[in-house]
Amino acid sequence: MKFIETPADWPADESAALAVQDELRTRVVLDEPGPQPGAGLVTGVDVAYDDERDVVAAAAVVLDAATLTVVEEATAVGRVAFPYVPGLLAFREIPAVLAALESLTHNPGLVVCDGYGRAHPRRFGLASHLGVLTGLPVIGVAKNPFTFSYGELGPRRGDFAALRAEDGEEVGRALRTQDGVKPVFVSVGHRTTLDNACSHTLRLAADYRLPESTRLADRLCRRALAEATA
DNA sequence: GCGACAG
DNA sequence: ATCTTGTCGC
């Protein structure tokens, strides 16, 4: 377990955070295919909060992409760095996630996080932000649609519908990972294509609606929070 | 101006 | 995210 250090220059308010997003968004790389689905390592990251006690816990779980076997786990705990503001989630989660990722001994490979990447009001959600700061390929898999809408999609695993911005651009996809179950919302963060992001998501969600990486990271950060709070 | 709104 | 019991279904 590692202690979370919030960067000294972390934005203190919403307008400062917006300025940071505006600057960093230009550094997102979208012309790389990214890791091949099913090969190498995939790392799930997640964060849990106890706002009452101002405590945050993050977890990073490294999986073998082919077998979905756990290769390594890391956690970090500390103080909450930013309030939850829709559109500024990254400022709340990233210091904790970075701390967890930094204590890993393995190269994370593809990082999978909760939330969005390009499917964001300013095209710079958590997955994009994390990607730019680490240089790693990152995708975002969210449980709920944000401000974007999507059309009807088939009922079977693998069926999907585009998540489109006002200008018609496809910023992500609503992807059905299990037959007859509510879809997840996939978008590119950094250094991957949307097609590959969806392929990875489907492979990781072999048995449940959510990717195994997120399920394991979620369990681990909750456990770390409980221990830190106890 | 008001509401909606990833985690 | 988090607060929380029972309950419907395989």
Side-chain angles (χ1 to χ4, degrees):
Chain A
M1 162 106 67
K2 177 170 178 174
F3 187 75
I4 300 165
E5 298 288 352
T6 298
D9 59 347
W10 207 242
D13 55 40
E14 295 188 24
S15 59
L18 289 171
V20 170
Q21 286 188 331
D22 212 39
E23 200 274 311
L24 295 183
R25 61 189 292 182
T26 62
R27 302 192 206 170
V28 174
V29 173
L30 299 170
D31 59 3
E32 286 182 30
Q36 181 191 321
L41 301 178
V42 175
T43 298
V45 293
D46 196 17
V47 183
Y49 302 90
D50 183 335
D51 284 300
E52 284 289 287
R53 307 188 190 193
D54 192 34
V55 179
V56 56
V61 179
V62 184
L63 303 180
D64 178 293
T67 62
L68 303 191
T69 303
V70 176
V71 171
E72 185 180 5
E73 297 182 332
T75 59
V77 295
R79 299 251 176 188
V80 178
F82 206 85
Y84 172 67
V85 179
L88 298 178
L89 176 65
F91 296 94
R92 179 167 170 80
E93 306 228 324
I94 279 185
V97 171
L98 286 180
L101 285 176
E102 283 165 7
S103 54
L104 290 174
T105 62
H106 289 77
N107 181 303
L110 176 78
V111 176
V112 181
C113 57
D114 283 23
Y116 287 121
R118 289 181 41 79
H120 176 273
R122 291 168 295 282
R123 304 288 194 284
F124 195 70
L126 170 62
S128 309
H129 201 142
L130 184 62
V132 167
L133 294 191
T134 61
L136 298 168
V138 183
I139 67 172
V141 180
K143 297 182 285 295
N144 302 290
F146 191 8
T147 55
F148 298 98
S149 56
Y150 56 101
E152 298 297 311
L153 63 156
R156 308 275 295 168
R157 166 178 161 84
D159 290 337
F160 64 89
L163 218 52
R164 293 186 188 283
E166 303 298 314
D167 60 9
E169 181 193 354
E170 183 178 34
V171 294
R173 284 179 192 155
L175 174 67
R176 189 96 61 193
T177 54
Q178 294 293 321
D179 292 351
V181 168
K182 175 182 176 177
V184 295
F185 305 89
V186 182
S187 58
V188 166
H190 185 58
R191 301 182 56 204
T192 60
T193 58
L194 184 53
D195 279 341
N196 276 336
C198 289
S199 296
H200 279 111
T201 301
L202 271 181
R203 301 191 73 117
L204 291 166
D207 300 326
Y208 297 92
R209 174 182 176 237
L210 297 179
E212 205 53 34
S213 43
T214 11
R215 300 183 72 243
L216 292 169
D218 181 72
R219 278 184 13 181
L220 184 55
C221 70
R222 288 186 198 235
R223 203 192 315 155
L225 181 65
E227 289 170 11
T229 297

